[in-house]
Amino acid sequence: MQVATIQLAAENDPDANRDRAVSRIRAAADAGANLVVLPELWPVGYFAFDAYADAAEPVPGPTTEQLGAVADEHSITLHGGSILERDGEDLYNTSVLFGPGGELLATYRKMHLFGYDSEEATRLTAGSEVCAVETDRGTVGLTTCYDLRFPSLYRSLVDAGVELILVTSAWPRERLDHWHLFTRTRAVENQVFLVAANLTGSIRGVDLAGESVVVDPWGIGRTNAGTGPRTGHAQIDIGEVQETRESFPALADRRL
């Protein structure tokens, strides 16, 4: 399976951001990607807190319809990153996953909202449900950015049978070392593939790290998209997860 991480620079123009994202998805699919992953809150930019309310929409809604159509058009599994979801009076940071027929396979409302130097925790509502879903790409778990700092969430995904974890993110450049530490650690301690797509560029004066990665069950990076609006590509085999767990049975040795 070929995986593509699409690294976008979110700008103050949601329509242009959508057009750019769709173009990049199509290019990744044309290059052979079977699974494509987008960053966190790419339609508006994570740090554009004052734009959250206006950008929020229902799920399903206009953005998910557009993303589903692209997945169907190219017969790819598409993690559409996260968007701002409006459900009644509540706003959520919601990730969306589509199957190769364009069907919405799963949604995940970010559980751990960022409070440090951020307004996310005051403007949005936290999700409460772990997301693990059976797909034709294996059993997939969804998490978002700040979730990476909370290992219990990832262990619960493994207990649910997850072999591949997709992370959508808007990780700042000033904490880039933590990005690489956590993406590798979450992969190796849970013996899973981890695919993490991050925003790049600058929004509201905050520089985003980029460096989207694919990490294998041994904690070895398969690709790094570097900085700038680039797409990372990596070939992975989900069968390596079971091989790793059998050859080095750390998960079987747990004592609860």
Side-chain angles (χ1 to χ4, degrees):
M1 170 171 55
Q2 187 181 138
V3 178
T5 56
I6 295 183
Q7 205 159 266
L8 295 168
E11 299 177 1
N12 297 324
D13 187 340
D15 290 337
N17 290 337
R18 289 187 183 89
D19 290 344
R20 190 178 301 109
V22 168
S23 177
R24 297 279 300 282
I25 293 167
R26 287 179 170 145
D30 289 343
N34 313 110
L35 170 64
V36 178
V37 184
L38 270 63
E40 180 184 16
L41 298 186
W42 56 268
V44 64
Y46 174 86
F47 288 95
F49 305 115
D50 56 338
Y52 276 15
D54 289 340
E57 61 184 81
V59 174
T63 299
T64 56
E65 288 178 7
Q66 186 177 27
L67 292 173
V70 176
D72 181 33
E73 175 187 350
H74 292 278
S75 299
I76 58 172
T77 300
L78 173 63
H79 185 320
S82 72
I83 65 173
L84 288 157
E85 177 192 6
R86 182 181 296 279
D87 186 359
E89 296 298 316
D90 294 323
L91 304 182
Y92 297 92
N93 184 339
T94 300
S95 300
V96 289
L97 181 69
F98 302 88
E103 67 278 20
L104 182 59
L105 296 178
T107 61
Y108 166 68
R109 291 170 169 173
K110 187 177 181 181
M111 294 178 67
H112 300 98
L113 300 181
F114 193 44
Y116 170 78
D117 197 26
S118 164
E119 298 176 27
E120 182 185 34
T122 59
R123 292 180 181 264
L124 304 185
T125 299
S128 59
E129 296 183 8
V130 173
C131 181
V133 58
E134 298 284 346
T135 78
D136 59 355
R137 307 298 176 193
T139 306
V140 175
L142 306 184
T143 69
T144 304
C145 200
Y146 190 46
D147 283 337
L148 281 166
R149 292 182 179 271
F150 301 90
S152 58
L153 171 58
Y154 291 81
R155 188 49 52 89
S156 68
L157 288 171
V158 170
D159 289 340
V162 162
E163 304 157 293
L164 169 64
I165 295 177
L166 308 180
V167 185
T168 182
S169 192
W171 203 276
R173 174 152 292 280
E174 67 175 331
R175 291 184 287 279
L176 177 60
D177 287 345
H178 292 181
W179 168 253
H180 288 300
L181 170 66
F182 291 131
T183 52
R184 291 187 65 197
T185 300
R186 298 292 89 87
V188 73
E189 72 185 359
N190 295 298
Q191 298 182 309
V192 295
F193 276 103
L194 185 143
V195 179
N198 197 30
L199 283 176
T200 188
S202 179
I203 187 77
R204 298 295 198 273
V206 179
D207 293 329
L208 285 307
E211 303 209 21
S212 302
V213 294
V214 176
V215 186
D216 74 14
W218 290 102
I220 298 171
R222 296 289 181 91
T223 187
N224 182 323
T227 59
R230 301 172 182 169
T231 299
H233 293 270
Q235 194 74 29
I236 69 173
D237 179 355
I238 290 297
E240 292 180 47
V241 172
Q242 190 59 34
E243 292 172 3
T244 302
R245 292 174 179 178
E246 290 176 355
S247 66
F248 193 79
L251 291 174
D253 291 336
R254 282 193 297 161
R255 294 293 179 267
L256 302 179

